[in-house]
Amino acid sequence: MDLLRTSAFDDSYRPAEYCVVTRARSERALRSLLDGSELRYAYEEGARRGLFALAGEA
């Protein structure tokens, strides 16, 4: 059990379960804008550079 999570939230709180709908919506939006190779490149670039570096460019 995650001690920090359970000390701040109820024991039943599972953030990943609550994020499924939002993530699915975001991925659908990305797929509508990028083809398969562009989307794969974007994910790989994000993994390589990191979220904070990419956010600084926005």
Side-chain angles (χ1 to χ4, degrees):
M1 194 172 292
D2 182 334
L3 182 60
L4 178 60
R5 176 183 54 79
T6 57
S7 66
F9 301 100
D10 183 77
D11 196 31
S12 65
Y13 180 65
R14 301 280 188 260
E17 294 174 15
Y18 294 104
C19 296
V20 169
V21 173
T22 302
R23 181 177 180 145
R25 186 181 319 129
S26 298
E27 288 182 354
R28 278 194 306 273
L30 285 170
R31 284 189 191 103
S32 73
L33 296 172
L34 304 171
D35 68 25
S37 62
E38 291 172 321
L39 186 58
R40 186 173 27 262
Y41 175 78
Y43 273 108
E44 290 170 355
E45 185 70 2
R48 185 180 71 76
R49 294 180 58 194
L51 178 61
F52 292 110
L54 294 172
E57 293 180 7

